[in-house]
Amino acid sequence: MLDIKVIRENVKEVKQAMLNRNLNISFDQLLNWDGERKTIIGKIEQLRFKRNKESEEIGKLKRKSKKLPAELLAEINKVRDIIQEQEKQLLTIEKHIKDFLLRIPNIPDKSVPIGKDEKDNKIIRFVGKPEKLSFKHKHHWEIGEKLGIIDFAAASKISGPHFAVLKNEGCVLERAIISFFLDMHKEKGYKEITTPYLVNRTSMTGTGQLPNLEEDSFKCAVGDLYLIPTAEVPVTNIHRDEVLEESALPQKYVSYSACFRRESGSYGKDTKGLIRNHQFNKVELVKFVKPETSSEELESLVLDAGNVLELLGLSYRVVLLSTGDIGFSSSKTYDLEVWLAGCGMYREISSCSNFKDFQARRMNIKVKYSKNKKRELLHTLNGSGVAVGRTFAAILENYQQEDGSVVIPNLLRKYTGFDIIKP
């Protein structure tokens, strides 16, 4: 979340940053609470000082075996009661302040283009050139069903819409993509980690999923546990309430997980196929870095995510999201959009974000510098490395053949054990 000091000292700038996100937020009530909080703290400090002085007086009288004046005892009890009442008021105001701050999104980086929505995103570069098919192309869901490797009807019967059942070579291809991604990122220095798929409210709040995105989450009916929307949540929370040595940074993790999101299909698009499902697989990259290096770490994160697409021969483009399209916790986000030959368009396959100290403040994750022993909030970053189901779809669409078969990219063949999926 944002530092209340930043809001207090730069309220006009913060308000404008929210307007750039298309949010008209008044900070008047927050600043009123902040002022009340300061006043109450001052009162409590004065009362504690008075109580301590009176306690000293009582101590002196006891040592001299003198009778304690009733009025002195009554006064110290009165002061104690007032302190307790003031402390209750302080806790209430601090809760109001925290609840308010938890609902305020991150301030966009100055390099982020100002815009209303995805139409104002900026294309940074194209990587690879999409190949035009010499025959009538098919969408990945058509290809998969005809090959007998995807069964949407069975998934709908089992669970409902926006799920998929993989079969036969489809299962093998999915596992191959996951293993390939993990191996490639580990070669880049990312440490593999496997975490629970169920996390508590504190973990969801730490990365910014709660409270604002609670309606998009799957929550257990019993117990305060949530199915993870991305491995970013459990992996980033690993270092919650920790201080990392400067020499230990950057910490780089790669994690495969199933992901669960309720929002799929809610925008009236991607109602077919593997692009927007309630459950999907993803390989996630997470970084913990020093604040002074987070900008360059974001650029290298984008390169690491894009590298696996290049190795698979998949064309993509890098897009810088506008202020109207970046996520709640993000300060700056690049989307990688892969070319889908069957659909004839680019679709998001990875989102790489720099959260700066926004998440670290929620989770209390700090770096300790070696020279001056100073401790400050570090910066967190994450990116898909990349979405497995969408890679599966991209391979079907870009490697489809005229006879209905699909050729397996060269680097995946040692994982699949076959080089083609035939009708």
Side-chain angles (χ1 to χ4, degrees), residues 62-76:
K62 283 183 175 180
R63 285 193 294 272
K64 294 178 180 179
S65 300
K66 291 186 176 182
K67 185 179 179 181
L68 300 178
E71 61 271 17
L72 182 58
L73 291 173
E75 178 63 22
I76 198 168

Side-chain angles (χ1 to χ4, degrees), residues 86-259:
Q86 290 291 308
E87 287 175 338
K88 287 180 182 178
Q89 290 185 31
L90 181 61
L91 286 174
T92 299
I93 289 175
E94 287 182 336
K95 183 179 185 303
H96 288 325
I97 291 173
K98 183 177 180 180
D99 289 346
F100 189 104
L101 290 174
L102 285 174
R103 297 180 184 277
I104 304 301
N106 204 352
I107 295 173
D109 187 81
K110 292 181 179 179
S111 62
V112 173
I114 297 174
K116 291 185 177 181
D117 51 35
E118 61 184 16
K119 295 178 182 177
D120 297 307
N121 295 344
K122 181 181 178 182
I123 298 175
I124 302 300
R125 62 181 177 272
F126 291 88
V127 180
K129 187 176 181 180
E131 292 186 20
K132 293 184 179 180
L133 302 179
S134 59
F135 53 90
K136 186 177 179 180
H137 62 257
K138 293 185 178 68
H139 298 292
H140 66 272
W141 56 86
E142 299 176 279
I143 301 168
E145 289 182 326
K146 288 190 176 182
L147 289 175
I149 61 174
I150 307 178
D151 192 336
F152 292 107
S156 182
K157 179 171 61 177
I158 296 167
S159 304
H162 307 299
F163 290 91
V165 167
L166 298 184
K167 295 181 175 180
N168 307 315
E169 293 98 328
C171 302
V172 180
L173 178 57
E174 180 98 341
R175 291 199 308 274
I177 294 170
I178 294 167
S179 296
F180 172 72
F181 286 167
L182 291 172
D183 287 349
M184 292 303 100
H185 291 308
K186 284 191 289 184
E187 287 185 7
K188 294 287 183 67
Y190 290 86
K191 294 180 287 188
E192 185 177 359
I193 190 165
T194 300
T195 63
Y197 291 172
L198 287 167
V199 296
N200 56 35
R201 173 173 287 272
T202 302
S203 295
M204 289 284 280
T205 302
T207 50
Q209 272 67 33
L210 297 182
N212 284 58
L213 303 176
E214 185 151 9
E215 63 182 20
D216 291 338
S217 305
F218 284 101
K219 183 181 179 182
C220 295
V222 178
D224 202 20
L225 292 175
Y226 295 79
L227 283 166
I228 60 171
T230 164
E232 167 201 346
V233 177
V235 174
T236 312
N237 273 276
I238 284 175
H239 291 303
R240 188 173 72 221
D241 294 321
E242 291 185 9
V243 178
L244 304 182
E245 296 289 340
E246 176 187 10
S247 59
L249 299 181
Q251 287 284 344
K252 298 162 52 176
Y253 296 103
V254 58
S255 181
Y256 154 73
S257 77
C259 306

Side-chain angles (χ1 to χ4, degrees), residues 140-141 152 162 263-265 269-278 280 338 340 343 345 347-349 387 389-394 397:
H140 66 272
W141 56 86
F152 292 107
H162 307 299
E263 56 83 29
S264 61
K269 62 181 182 180
D270 301 324
T271 55
K272 291 184 178 181
L274 301 172
I275 300 301
R276 194 182 292 273
N277 284 344
H278 287 309
F280 55 95
V338 70
L340 297 178
C343 297
M345 63 176 65
R347 296 311 307 267
E348 178 198 338
I349 197 168
R390 296 187 180 194
T391 304
F392 188 106
E397 295 200 11

